[in-house]
Amino acid sequence: MSVNPSFQEAIKVTPQGSNKYSAFLRPEWCIGTGTTNPYNPHLPLTKTNNAPVPHGGYTTAVIYQLALTHFAHAHPKQYKSPASPISIQLSFLRRTASGPVTFEVEDVKIGRRTSTIHIKLLQTSDKNPGQLDLMLAGYITVSPPEAEVGISVNTGWRPLPAPVAGSRADGSVDLAALGRTGIDGAWTKIVAPFAEFRKAGTHIELFGPGTGEVQQKRSGNLNIDQWTRFRPGGDVNGRWTDAAVPYLIDTFPMALDGFDTIAAAEAKESGSSVAGQKAKSWYPTVTLNVDMKKHLPAEGVEWLYSRVVTKAVRDGRTDLEVTIVDEAGDVIALSTQIGLIVSASRNIGTRKMEKL
């Protein structure tokens, strides 16, 4: 039985000729309230007919799969075993939409230990029907497992300040109890806010020492801790795999909850019509960098921990630093990104503030 079959289908990439590939960005992995094209479900909705926007982490997972597919298709004899991404650097240039996309890949460097490709994500143009617009561009560096040799050092790194303690004597969280009962010490199961709008965030089970607002009041900063289980399409057998980690890198509902609180406070101070409410904002990614540090087993793992840190929110622009850790305390992946804070009216079906 394959791991995460619905997710693997959602990130599927198909060769379409020399260094060209296609994929279909699924609406259930999007942000926004649009639906599929009512006239042709195989065509994307455009900005003018209200397509939901694919989640940045989901899109990155598709690009992770693109790299695997490209080297299997274009360079099948380059390495003894499949080469996988160790570094991903992406710029989100324009707002994508759910539906078909085209990828173009340029081999920048093909080496014995590492290889680097330049990728472009193209989608049908709103302004010029029949043409493709460049929506996203980036560089991916891959390396095969047999080339990953050299010094490994335990640096002693731990999240600081330490996460809120669980029920175990050493302060760790009893994940079996947390998953079974939804509670372990201060850690509880969290229902992510605004799930209808942020559909892409519904593919996890989320646990934290309080909501984002509670965590931030306790710590006095915008840091967030979370343990998560992967539930793609509600699959209770879902497991975190290497291909799913890029999705988790950009999935932090409680951090967005904290940003919502900030946006609501700003709205109240300015006398906006959304004063006194949690502001349903949209947080599009501008740039995203991922450093894959450790491979997960092929069968995946049940639990991964995320520490999400924001250092400054200024002029509608945020920074996010994410560290992914497994149950053993080993760092699985690191990420930094730049994001924007904009009104959800930019990304809902009606585009009207009064519908927020």
Side-chain angles (χ1 to χ4, degrees):
M1 182 177 176
S2 62
V3 181
N4 306 329
S6 67
F7 178 67
Q8 287 301 129
E9 181 63 26
I11 65 172
K12 182 180 178 181
V13 174
T14 303
Q16 296 292 343
S18 178
N19 286 20
K20 286 193 176 183
Y21 303 85
S22 65
F24 192 96
L25 302 181
R26 306 292 288 267
E28 63 268 27
W29 294 87
C30 288
I31 307 297
T33 57
T35 60
T36 55
N37 192 314
Y39 304 105
N40 187 338
H42 299 292
L43 294 177
L45 286 163
T46 64
K47 295 174 188 175
T48 56
N49 59 14
N50 307 322
V53 178
H55 177 261
Y58 162 64
T59 304
T60 305
V62 176
I63 290 168
Y64 183 101
Q65 188 64 38
L66 168 67
L68 297 180
T69 303
H70 175 67
F71 278 88
H73 179 71
H75 306 286
K77 298 181 180 180
Q78 180 65 26
Y79 302 114
K80 295 179 181 178
S81 56
S84 59
I86 59 173
S87 173
I88 302 172
Q89 302 164 294
L90 302 177
S91 291
F92 293 75
L93 305 175
R94 296 177 179 85
R95 193 179 76 168
T96 56
S98 62
V101 296
T102 296
F103 287 108
E104 294 181 353
V105 178
E106 175 190 0
D107 293 327
V108 178
K109 170 204 168 185
I110 304 299
R112 288 183 296 176
R113 173 157 186 166
T114 65
S115 294
T116 299
I117 58 176
H118 178 220
I119 67 102
K120 297 178 181 179
L121 186 157
L122 306 164
Q123 200 161 41
T124 301
S125 173
D126 279 351
K127 296 181 179 179
N128 301 295
Q131 297 184 22
L132 296 177
D133 282 342
L134 175 60
M135 317 303 285
L136 179 155
Y139 287 89
I140 307 170
T141 298
V142 305
S143 183
E146 68 269 12
E148 292 287 278
V149 296
I151 296 173
S152 294
V153 177
N154 183 352
T155 66
W157 178 88
R158 294 291 183 272
L160 292 175
V164 172
S167 65
R168 289 178 169 169
D170 63 358
S172 63
V173 177
D174 185 338
L175 294 174
L178 186 62
R180 185 176 63 254
T181 68
I183 187 168
D184 185 69
W187 288 75
T188 59
K189 189 171 184 178
I190 305 293
V191 177
F194 308 127
E196 181 181 355
F197 179 71
R198 297 170 185 156
K199 293 183 292 291
T202 63
H203 300 281
I204 61 170
E205 281 188 347
L206 178 68
F207 303 83
T211 64
E213 188 173 358
V214 168
Q215 288 194 52
Q216 291 164 0
K217 284 182 178 179
R218 180 192 298 122
S219 65
N221 56 43
L222 294 183
N223 295 359
I224 290 294
D225 291 315
Q226 62 183 38
W227 279 100
T228 55
R229 296 196 289 193
F230 195 33
R231 295 293 184 259
D235 181 5
V236 296
N237 296 311
R239 293 294 182 268
W240 292 116
T241 60
D242 288 347
V245 167
Y247 162 72
L248 180 58
I249 280 287
D250 195 35
T251 303
F252 27 71
M254 290 186 288
L256 300 186
D257 185 37
F259 291 154
D260 285 337
T261 301
I262 293 172
E266 289 292 322
K268 184 176 182 180
E269 185 173 330
S270 65
S272 166
S273 61
V274 297
Q277 303 179 28
K278 276 292 189 69
K280 298 180 184 178
S281 298
W282 175 38
Y283 306 99
T285 302
V286 178
T287 62
L288 176 65
N289 301 302
V290 180
D291 176 6
M292 304 291 286
K293 303 295 289 188
K294 176 187 174 183
H295 286 290
L296 295 174
E299 67 276 13
V301 298
E302 184 175 8
W303 294 92
L304 286 177
Y305 161 88
S306 305
R307 164 62 63 88
V308 184
V309 176
T310 299
K311 298 183 176 70
V313 178
R314 184 168 293 116
D315 299 327
R317 180 161 49 88
T318 72
D319 60 86
L320 284 158
E321 179 182 284
V322 181
T323 305
I324 306 295
V325 178
D326 65 12
E327 290 187 60
D330 291 335
V331 175
I332 301 300
L334 307 170
S335 172
T336 59
Q337 69 169 270
I338 295 171
L340 301 179
I341 302 179
V342 299
S343 168
S345 63
R346 296 272 300 276
N347 195 23
I348 61 175
T350 62
R351 299 292 196 271
K352 294 181 180 180
M353 284 295 290
E354 61 267 26
K355 295 294 185 180
L356 288 178

